[in-house]
Each structure stands twice: as structure tokens, then as C-alpha cells.
Amino acid sequence: HWEQKGVPLRMEIGPKDLEKEVVTIAIRHSGEKYEFDANRLRILIPRELKKIHNQMLRNARRVMKAHTRRA
């Protein structure tokens, strides 16, 4: 649902994750999932968002270059 709305990442937190103090992050554009220390989310989430932005921008520029022709 949220991926269709364009949310770049999804956090998954279950009872076992709470016990282990971890959060699983799913990245929308790549489908990758990572497990992060819940106590470091304040640092890790902005870093991940910046990484997602840079990857998506790089891919968009590559696609634009591949589909742009001189007239």
C-alpha cells in the first residue's frame, strides 16, 4: 500500500524485533531489506534516505541520457 504511494522505505517491527531491539527496513525502489539497531534509527534513517535519493537520481539521469537524442 505505502509503496504504491511512493514512500521510499518501510519499517517492519514485530514482537521478536522489539526483544532484539532491531528494526527491519525495506527499500521500495530496490526491494532490499536491512536490519538496523533500533537505538540508532535517528542516525541511520536520514543516511538511508540520502542514499536512496542518490541512487534514484543516478538511475534517472542514466535513463534520461539513454533516451535523449540530439535533434
Side-chain angles (χ1 to χ4, degrees):
H1 173 74
W2 288 105
E3 286 86 359
Q4 292 173 341
K5 292 183 180 268
V7 175
L9 57 83
R10 179 183 73 241
M11 289 193 282
E12 300 174 353
I13 306 169
K16 292 180 183 177
D17 298 323
L18 290 174
E19 288 176 14
K20 296 189 304 183
E21 294 186 353
V22 297
V23 175
T24 301
I25 303 293
I27 309 297
R28 178 178 59 92
H29 79 280
S30 67
E32 298 171 311
K33 286 188 176 185
Y34 301 103
E35 197 171 86
F36 289 117
D37 179 0
N39 298 314
R40 298 194 61 223
L41 285 179
R42 182 178 257 178
I43 297 166
L44 296 172
I45 294 298
R47 186 183 308 160
E48 284 301 308
L49 289 172
K50 187 171 187 169
K51 195 179 341 178
I52 290 167
H53 169 77
N54 290 336
Q55 289 171 347
M56 292 179 76
L57 182 59
R58 190 170 39 250
N59 289 342
R61 286 180 173 158
R62 182 182 47 78
V63 169
M64 183 179 72
K65 185 177 179 180
H67 291 91
T68 301
R69 302 286 181 254
R70 188 162 284 224

